[in-house]
């Protein structure tokens, strides 16, 4: 059992499930010989052949549309979008078809497909390679949006996503693809897609986040601990549908909440969490709910990128604001 | 130095002319002599037309929602449906009823769908066929995906899809051609060119001579046929389906026909379409010429026609009753809106369902 | 000066601006001879010719992409998507290009385009013709999303949208296209895109909504008035960016807020409003913030449609829940 | 009855062979005899290559972000840029530097862009040209829109766009062909076929003989040329640009070339591409043959070549200094992230700007 990175955990989950289930195919640009531009599918074509790991023409509408077709006929396609910024042409097939197929045919046809994509900023990539577009997917009924934040969660959640009988958008925080290694057993054990993960217990404030921002948020929790403040950190992981119960329970305990995400603030997923708290936990709130997010701007080119990304400092600052209320 | 490195052509096929006469000098397909089969297909075309008229009438009297008529397209649609095997997969747009009836979709399914009831899409036809598809041309890629699945399964199955003259402008169709070429998919892409995309005439979709030639982009065999000529349309389908089944890849067939109806019951074609054009299209419509041919050959007569119309009326009536029974006596419940969102209903949807049941809509709907 | 419907106000605004500004062109499927499937462009081709009112091939990616191109070269294209459900293929060009062109070129090129679309449910239309997808657009920085709710607001807001130097998604509530007539002067006066409209003053509760739901919300306010409850009704109108000041001011006064929209609840625009209140007005809140929305389901086919749509009854119910708190 | 209703062909053009010899028996374009022009274009090809090498080196030493090399494409790109007028509009993808340099884009603009600074896209070239375009093939529709604008303005201007062999599979390109056909747009669609889309070879995009034939879908004149032959590429461009300018509509040109570099500096082509293929492509590269030709004709020699290389190195160095000066001495501020979101900055963005300024990023970026 080796220590592996998040991106290696993705590969391991793909290999595991392809081994178990002959209907799983990997489908996308450069996923074959090249093993994906981030090497997430490295070695898979060698192992499973080019009828299981399929390089496609450069056409995202086609990738999404054909996955709907394949999934409806009993396969489990796992598409790769090369970057989240190139998923937008997929919206139509995901929203108008994948997410509705079960509903509109009363279960006659289903769409157990996954679209994986490297997602988010912070690696100094070129233009259009650093978006955080989870809110785009999270609003649409009929599919799940899942974002892992560690090697073991990447492994377990991706297994669950592939096995899920409904469509899943699986966003991989590319900034932490190789950040931390973790011992992950290739056990085939999936993690649930309907719960948040409490990464750190605390009593004074709840920090809610997902994806690569888990890194800064855990750092912020540590910094707060050094000030004697006990922060609970929740990794939402599945941002649609959200397990609000875990979040509400935590906020009922702490009375304070800061939500952290990379995406622009306006109508981001953080809004849903805050709104849900404002409905269901309002009497427990001791302070305003703050969101520390990307700005309502285009993700800038790389020289300004780190000015855009929420930092540990910004999270601590927001926490301190919130903690000022008694 | 210039050298020609590739050349292409688009051929046009017609066997039965608008007057019901076999076109002279042709290599006539065997189907033209298979009177039993032709009679049976003619009967289905007629049933479809009778059904269509009834569906429009139901809409006009408030008993059905917006409905897309198939008037004038019957030969093309019957050709498509009858060329396929049950295990093949059909990805329709929204008006290919005759093709679907051939495959086992019930008339009451069609009525349920346009009658605002999801059960219409859970139709009785081959359970693996795709549902009706409103977002134009997207079905082409679903068919390509199905074809890919069959290819990977190594099953001798074919996916067939239909797109309109309008839909042929859309990237989905064009990407499907490319995909079919890339993987030599067992796929048949049929353009049912009825000359209009709602109010936009064929000439505005592009200025190319044919729509069939879009298949050349992928190097696919691409032909045009008289889509009101069941014999030509079916012959083309048979050829394309056989090629696909035998691993020789995909084809494009442009079937020339005419939308004799409004686009849907929500449309009024008189706003944009000269009546003269419609009138002359009626002279070329598919049932007329087939009836003439069958009569000329001694396989049809007025009595049979009358009997058939009566029989169709009866069958359509029964379908209407099934439909009305379903929506009145066994309507979709409020629960049904929440079911089928996910295989396992998430907690928050369960909650919403319970809430919704406290607020049933009032009055008519 | 005649009484006109909302859809007629759209036509009037288009005609007005085409008259004033030769760079304005109308671009879309069936907008020409047919005058649009809802008649929103009726008569315009006759008046302005087929080089100003242009029927396009059936290709939404093309419509959006060409509008970006035209707008970048100094035109003001006003595209029509035939229904909101057919806007999804436009996401890529709107998000990756229209909304970013000014930013990425430092203002060298701009994108003053408008995409209009009939939007929302309630007219017993076929499948895929009844979505409320404003949240899809509202999250993306660099463009505005505007939704009128009356003939005069349709006129004034559409003028402003066309004149706006940046891209605007203009969603027209088709259910109330012909609901109410209003006297609208063809004055050429635009309405601002950065304010909410207070449609009814009140002191006990704030009802926030937009689009066709203004109808049910005003009815609910009336029903509440009959119980002696004074409801303030705010039509957000421009749902991105939102004028939160007006909403916060109102909630500071009433202490209670119910947000109403047709779209699914999860990550809808209502979440942003509630979240913003939970940050900025929390000490004024006397009750949880409730959202009355469409369900997190596919918009059902028409026989179930009215079970999906928020009704006056549901709004009153939520208001009553909220008013129970002192 | 079958009748051929449309036929098409794709011709291939090459005038200067890989050995720098004019291909015999050809109708040689006048450009082949215009030595002054050829020398000037050769100089730009060389400058671009020197620049390219420097940019890769900057990336390798951490002074530039990911960079997309144009190595091997110089003839195609120079042909494109030099066939256009200033008032025409260029919608590039991301590696057509030579075309852009011809039009006035500065080398320092290119470095700014790949160096992570938005000012690169505010380039010095024709201010109406489109910025670099990363979402593959979307630029094709922007060019179609520009062409539409010029057509509506009744200006004799042409829009030119470039797409790759990979990008030619995407609906955007295919819809642009259709749009060009529908409106007879003054548009030139160039496929720069460098045989690879990152790791995906041309053969996997589709199985058609040529990519040029995608233009047939719209009935556009569609040809293939040796894209490493500046004379053929430029001749094809001149013809297509003239047709567009004169109201005869759009064309598709497939320029055959080879990506001699990695896809970008973030790529390692050795993982997927046989070195032998790359080696033999070097024998056909565009500068070599043009240099040989100019030398054979007595218009170039080793001394001139040395002088040119020195001059290019100097100019490139100056551009690098401009770039480094801009990013070091006059970097984009935090404010710059908030500017240009809207013409008039909304209130909430102003607030976010003020907040952001309290939290400048720490350390290196
Ligand atoms: C993506 C999309 N855009 C627009 C529409 C609205 N619409 C429905 S049918 C139609 C015209 C279709 O014409 P065509 O493809 O020729 O098929 P026909 O209806 O003539 O059979 C349009 C524009 C749609 N359903 N989907
Ligand atoms: C829509 C989209 N999908 C994927 C990518 C990632 N990507 C960047 S370049 C490239 C290959 C492009 O190949 P080609 O069109 O042949 O152009 P070339 O780079 O060879 O010049 C890919 C897949 C992208 N930029 N945009
Ligand atoms: Mg049609
Ligand atoms: Mg290439």
């Amino acid at each position: 059992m080796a220590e592996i990175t998040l991106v290696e955990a993705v590969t391991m989950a793909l290999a595991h499930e392809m081994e178990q289930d002959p209907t799983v195919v990997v489908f996308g640009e450069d996923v074959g010989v090249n093993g994906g531009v981030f090497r997430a599918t490295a070695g898979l074509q060698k192992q499973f052949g080019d009828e299981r790991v399929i390089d496609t023409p450069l056409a995202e509408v086609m990738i999404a549309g054909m996955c709907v077709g394949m999934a409806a006929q009993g396969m489990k396609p796992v598409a790769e979008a090369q970057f989240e910024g190139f998923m937008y042409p997929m919206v139509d097939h995901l929203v108008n078809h994948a997410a509705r197929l079960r509903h509109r045919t009363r279960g006659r046809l289903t769409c157990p497909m996954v679209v994986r994509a490297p997602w988010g900023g912070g690696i100094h990539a070129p233009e259009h390679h650093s978006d955080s577009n989870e809110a785009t997917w999270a609003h649409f009924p009929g599919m799940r949006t899942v974002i892992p934040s560690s090697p073991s969660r990447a492994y377990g959640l991706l297994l669950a996503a592939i096995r899920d009988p409904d469509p899943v958008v699986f966003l991989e925080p590319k900034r932490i693809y190789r950040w931390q290694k973790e011992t992950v057993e290739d056990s085939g054990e999936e993690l649930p897609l309907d719960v948040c993960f409490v990464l750190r217990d605390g009593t004074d404030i709840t920090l809610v986040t997902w994806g690569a921002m888990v890194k800064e948020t855990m750092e912020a929790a540590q910094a707060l601990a050094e000030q004697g403040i006990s922060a609970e950190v929740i990794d939402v992981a599945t941002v649609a549908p959200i397990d609000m119960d875990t979040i509400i329970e935590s906020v009922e305990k702490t009375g304070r909440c800061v939500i952290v995400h990379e995406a622009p603030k306006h109508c981001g997923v953080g809004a849903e969490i805050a709104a849900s708290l404002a409905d269901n936990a309002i009497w427990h709130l001791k302070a305003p709910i703050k969101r520390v997010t990307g700005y309502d701007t285009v993700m800038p080119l790389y020289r300004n990128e780190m000015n855009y990304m929420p930092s540990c400092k910004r999270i601590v600052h927001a926490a301190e604001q919130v903690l000022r209320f008694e | 130095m210039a050298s020609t490195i590739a050349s292409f052509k688009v051929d046009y096929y017609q066997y039965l002319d608008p007057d019901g006469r076999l076109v002279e000098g042709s290599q006539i397909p065997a189907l033209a002599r298979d009177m039993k089969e032709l009679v049976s297909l003619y009967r289905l075309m007629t049933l479809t037309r009778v059904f269509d008229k009834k569906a429009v009438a139901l809409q006009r009297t408030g008993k059905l929602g917006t409905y897309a008529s198939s008037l004038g397209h019957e030969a093309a649609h019957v050709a498509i449906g009858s060329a396929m095997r049950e295990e093949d997969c059909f990805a329709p747009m929204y008006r290919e009823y005759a093709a679907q009836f051939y495959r086992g979709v019930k008339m009451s399914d069609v009525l349920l769908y346009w009658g605002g009831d999801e059960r219409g899409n859970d139709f009785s036809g081959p359970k693996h066929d795709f549902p009706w598809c409103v977002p134009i041309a997207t079905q082409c890629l679903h068919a390509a995906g199905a074809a890919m699945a069959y290819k990977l399964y190594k099953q001798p199955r074919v996916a067939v899809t239909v797109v309109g003259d309008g839909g042929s402008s859309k990237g989905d169709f064009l990407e499907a051609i490319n995909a079919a070429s890339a993987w030599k998919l067992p796929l048949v892409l049929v353009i049912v060119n009825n000359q209009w995309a709602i109010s936009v005439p064929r000439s505005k979709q592009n200025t190319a001579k044919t729509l069939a030639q879009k298949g050349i982009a992928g190097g696919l065999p691409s032909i045009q046929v008289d889509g009101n000529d069941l014999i030509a349309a079916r012959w083309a389908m048979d050829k394309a389906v056989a090629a696909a089944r035998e691993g020789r890849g995909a084809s494009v067939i442009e079937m020339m026909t005419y939308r004799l109806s409004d686009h849907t019951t929500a449309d009024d074609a008189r706003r944009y379409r000269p009546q003269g054009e419609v009138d002359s299209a009626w002279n070329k419509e598919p049932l007329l010429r087939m009836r003439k041919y069958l009569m000329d050959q001694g396989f049809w007569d007025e009595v049979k026609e009358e009997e058939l119309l009566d029989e169709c009326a009866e069958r359509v009536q029964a379908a209407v009753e099934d439909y009305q029974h379903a929506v009145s006596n066994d309507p979709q419940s409020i629960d049904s809106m929440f079911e089928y969102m996910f295989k396992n209903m998430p907690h928050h949807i369960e909650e919403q369902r319970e809430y919704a049941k406290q607020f049933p809509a009032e009055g008519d709907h």
Side-chain angles (χ1 to χ4, degrees), chain A, chain B:
Chain A
M1 233 163 46
E3 295 228 302
I4 58 173
T5 60
L6 196 158
V7 68
E8 287 163 348
V10 167
T11 317
M12 193 162 90
L14 288 169
H16 186 97
E17 214 46 23
M18 293 188 77
E19 185 76 55
Q20 294 300 308
D21 181 347
T23 65
V24 175
V25 295
V26 167
F27 197 70
E29 296 156 14
D30 302 293
V31 297
V33 180
N34 196 35
V37 294
F38 285 101
R39 329 278 313 118
T41 58
L44 294 180
Q45 194 179 65
K46 212 166 223 166
Q47 191 178 348
F48 297 100
D50 62 6
E51 298 209 330
R52 301 283 307 281
V53 180
I54 304 169
D55 272 325
T56 66
L58 205 171
E60 281 78 10
V61 177
M62 180 206 76
I63 293 173
M66 284 186 68
C67 284
V68 170
M70 287 190 273
Q73 301 302 314
M75 306 203 75
K76 288 188 157 257
V78 182
E80 176 175 303
Q82 201 157 87
F83 283 86
E84 77 298 310
F86 312 134
M87 291 176 79
Y88 300 114
M90 296 181 165
V91 173
D92 188 32
H93 280 278
L94 286 173
V95 168
N96 270 337
H97 292 295
R100 299 188 197 213
L101 197 57
R102 177 188 296 280
H103 193 263
R104 51 198 297 266
T105 66
R106 308 282 86 186
R108 179 171 65 82
L109 296 177
T110 61
C111 200
M113 66 183 275
V114 176
V115 180
R116 295 175 40 245
W119 160 90
I123 64 159
H124 285 196
E127 219 179 351
H128 298 285
H129 285 69
S130 305
D131 282 12
S132 295
N133 55 12
E134 68 273 21
T136 307
W137 316 108
H139 178 54
F140 293 113
M143 58 194 190
R144 296 181 206 277
T145 303
V146 179
I147 307 175
S149 67
S150 75
S152 59
R153 282 188 294 280
Y155 177 79
L157 292 172
L158 182 53
L159 282 183
I162 300 172
R163 293 173 190 166
D164 196 85
D166 291 299
V168 177
V169 168
F170 193 83
L171 301 171
E172 300 168 3
K174 61 175 92 89
R175 182 162 60 94
I176 58 169
Y177 255 159
R178 299 188 168 82
W179 167 52
Q180 260 188 341
K181 292 199 170 198
E182 208 183 338
T183 303
V184 184
E185 198 193 338
D186 190 9
S187 62
E189 269 173 48
E190 64 187 64
L191 287 168
L193 297 183
D194 54 2
V195 302
C196 298
F197 298 93
V198 180
L199 301 187
R200 182 182 174 125
D201 289 317
T203 50
D204 298 330
I205 184 169
T206 303
L207 306 178
V208 179
T209 191
W210 52 91
M213 275 299 145
V214 162
K215 177 173 179 292
E216 281 68 28
T217 306
M218 289 297 274
E219 286 165 15
Q222 188 54 39
L224 291 167
E226 283 156 24
Q227 299 178 35
I229 294 153
S230 162
E232 182 141 309
V233 177
I234 296 179
D235 173 10
V236 177
T238 296
V239 299
I242 300 175
D243 161 27
M244 278 305 302
D245 290 348
T246 301
I247 300 172
I248 289 169
E249 201 179 298
S250 173
V251 173
E252 283 176 355
K253 174 175 65 179
T254 64
R256 295 178 178 85
C257 184
V258 170
I259 301 158
V260 183
H261 61 67
E262 261 180 63
K265 183 176 201 171
H266 197 271
C267 293
V269 171
E272 177 59 36
I273 295 167
S276 191
L277 291 171
D279 184 4
N280 299 298
I282 192 147
W283 304 124
H284 298 274
L285 286 173
K286 299 181 189 148
I289 303 170
K290 292 278 169 206
R291 287 176 284 164
V292 178
T293 67
Y295 300 114
D296 289 313
T297 66
V298 176
M299 163 58 89
L301 293 191
Y302 78 76
R303 284 194 193 260
N304 244 333
E305 183 175 29
M306 297 319 286
N307 282 322
Y308 176 94
M309 307 276 289
S311 59
C312 173
K313 222 179 187 173
R314 284 174 58 193
I315 302 166
V316 169
H317 170 81
E320 285 167 354
Q321 281 189 299
V322 163
L323 285 154
R324 231 172 270 142
F325 299 92
E326 258 326 299
Chain B
M1 187 202 63
S3 56
T4 297
I5 48 170
S7 32
F8 314 95
K9 66 190 168 77
V10 174
D11 288 340
Y12 174 80
Y13 297 85
Q14 186 199 54
Y15 294 111
L16 194 63
D17 76 11
D19 295 324
R21 276 188 296 256
L22 286 180
V23 174
E24 278 176 47
S26 314
Q27 276 274 18
I28 304 293
L31 176 65
R33 306 292 173 215
D34 185 346
M35 290 300 154
K36 206 171 138 226
E37 175 76 355
L38 284 182
V39 165
S40 136
L41 297 177
Y42 174 72
R43 295 173 64 90
L44 181 53
M45 295 203 286
T46 305
L47 176 67
T48 305
R49 186 164 290 185
V50 172
F51 168 78
D52 198 89
K53 195 169 177 186
K54 182 68 184 183
V56 172
L58 288 174
Q59 190 282 333
R60 300 289 184 228
T61 53
K63 299 194 183 96
L64 195 71
T66 301
Y67 170 77
S69 161
S70 71
L71 190 67
H73 308 69
E74 297 87 350
H77 296 165
V78 164
I80 292 163
S82 65
M84 297 173 66
R85 295 192 188 152
E86 179 168 359
E87 68 269 28
D88 295 339
C89 181
F90 186 46
M93 36 195 282
Y94 38 77
R95 54 168 116 248
E96 297 75 32
Y97 313 120
Q100 295 180 301
F101 292 157
Y102 196 98
R103 290 179 64 64
V105 174
K106 288 194 196 147
M107 290 185 279
S108 55
D109 296 331
V110 179
L111 295 174
L112 278 168
Y113 179 68
W114 294 110
D117 187 315
E118 278 81 4
R119 288 172 297 181
N121 259 330
D122 182 17
F123 46 58
S124 330
K127 286 289 185 190
H128 59 273
D129 274 12
F130 286 92
W132 288 289
C133 186
V134 166
I136 296 287
T138 51
Q139 71 278 4
C140 301
L141 288 167
H142 306 159
M148 186 72 160
Y150 304 153
K151 185 169 174 138
L152 295 172
Y153 293 148
K154 307 205 189 315
Q155 295 171 338
R157 297 165 70 185
V158 178
V160 176
T161 190
V162 179
V163 75
D165 43 310
S168 80
S169 295
K170 204 155 162 274
D172 293 66
F173 173 63
L174 304 165
E175 290 192 4
I177 288 173
N178 195 67
S181 170
W183 288 295
K184 267 196 147 204
L185 295 177
L187 178 66
V188 180
L189 295 149
V190 183
I191 305 167
V192 175
N193 177 351
N194 64 8
Q195 310 303 329
W196 292 90
I198 310 187
S199 74
V200 180
R202 156 65 184 89
S203 60
K204 289 200 175 172
Q205 296 297 334
N206 76 21
T207 58
K209 185 88 195 287
T210 70
L211 296 175
Q213 72 203 63
K214 298 196 181 197
I216 294 172
L220 307 185
S222 303
I223 64 170
Q224 201 184 61
V225 302
D226 182 340
N228 289 345
D229 168 7
L230 175 63
I231 297 170
R234 172 64 186 276
W235 169 83
M237 282 300 300
D238 283 343
K239 204 169 101 138
V241 167
R245 198 179 313 282
E246 292 158 15
R248 286 179 282 120
S251 316
V252 171
I253 304 169
E254 180 183 6
M255 298 188 181
M256 308 300 283
T257 180
Y258 193 86
R259 194 192 81 209
L260 290 167
S261 63
D262 292 334
H263 169 66
T264 64
T265 52
D267 175 50
D268 179 0
R270 288 168 305 183
R271 277 212 294 264
Y272 53 78
R273 198 164 69 164
Q275 191 53 40
E277 183 184 298
V278 183
D279 292 342
S280 68
W282 270 106
N283 297 327
K284 299 189 201 148
E285 69 96 357
L287 272 64
L288 181 65
R289 70 175 79 176
M290 183 52 73
R291 188 161 58 239
K292 280 189 181 161
Y293 178 64
L294 293 177
M295 284 179 166
D296 280 357
Q297 303 289 312
F299 286 82
W300 201 251
D301 56 36
E302 295 296 346
V303 176
K304 285 191 172 134
E305 180 73 13
E306 282 305 312
E307 283 171 7
L308 173 61
L309 289 174
D310 288 348
E311 180 196 323
C312 291
E314 244 170 70
R315 289 179 61 190
V316 168
Q317 192 49 40
V320 172
E321 279 158 26
D322 285 351
Y323 158 65
Q324 286 180 325
H325 179 88
V327 296
S328 309
N329 297 28
D330 176 27
Q332 291 264 83
S333 63
I334 289 183
D335 296 71
S336 81
M337 185 165 38
F338 299 91
E339 287 160 6
Y340 304 113
M341 282 308 302
F342 293 96
K343 174 124 194 262
N344 306 309
M345 192 180 287
H347 184 49
H348 74 289
I349 294 195
E350 237 170 81
E351 275 177 17
Q352 291 186 1
R353 181 188 59 184
E354 294 316 305
Y355 165 85
K357 281 153 83 170
Q358 296 173 44
F359 297 98
E362 282 149 29
D364 215 25
H365 50 92

